[in-house]
Amino acid sequence: FALRSHRQHLGKEVLWMPEIAALASISEARLFERETMAVDVEMQGQLTRGMTIADRRPTSQWRRNTDVVTKFDVRGVLDWMTRILAKG
């Protein structure tokens, strides 16, 4: 679906790294480091309205509510994707 969609809308048959990483994070979790954070969408602010805000302060007033990927093994993700595509 993603390759077809990019070809139709962008004229390119490609997948961008964020999309590949999102897929890999589900099936190859060992390639990713995560940190539990307090995350919210800012609905009131004049400068950040509509933005996703992650409060990483050690004494956050917010409840930690999601895991955020902080690092991943780029080579490992690319190798995983290559293996998937090679299976055809």
Side-chain angles (χ1 to χ4, degrees), residues 19-50:
E19 294 166 335
I20 295 169
L23 293 171
S25 72
I26 296 167
S27 67
E28 295 292 322
R30 64 183 173 74
L31 299 174
F32 295 80
E33 290 183 25
R34 293 172 171 80
E35 183 180 331
T36 303
M37 293 184 195
V39 175
D40 198 6
V41 176
E42 176 61 63
M43 302 300 288
Q44 306 292 325
Q46 293 179 352
L47 297 176
T48 59
R49 187 175 190 180

Side-chain angles (χ1 to χ4, degrees), residues 10-84:
L10 302 174
K12 298 178 181 181
E13 198 164 287
V14 298
L15 285 174
W16 304 108
M17 192 62 178
E19 294 166 335
I20 295 169
L23 293 171
S25 72
I26 296 167
S27 67
E28 295 292 322
R30 64 183 173 74
L31 299 174
F32 295 80
E33 290 183 25
R34 293 172 171 80
E35 183 180 331
T36 303
M37 293 184 195
V39 175
D40 198 6
V41 176
E42 176 61 63
M43 302 300 288
Q44 306 292 325
Q46 293 179 352
L47 297 176
T48 59
R49 187 175 190 180
M51 292 182 143
T52 303
I53 307 296
D55 187 353
R56 300 178 75 177
R57 296 177 292 185
T59 58
S60 173
Q61 299 297 314
W62 301 351
R63 180 180 62 84
R64 294 176 186 260
N65 58 355
T66 193
D67 288 339
V68 177
V69 172
T70 55
K71 293 180 185 177
F72 70 98
D73 177 357
V74 175
R75 180 81 264 154
V77 170
L78 292 174
D79 289 346
W80 169 81
M81 190 60 171
T82 302
R83 286 192 310 273
I84 296 295

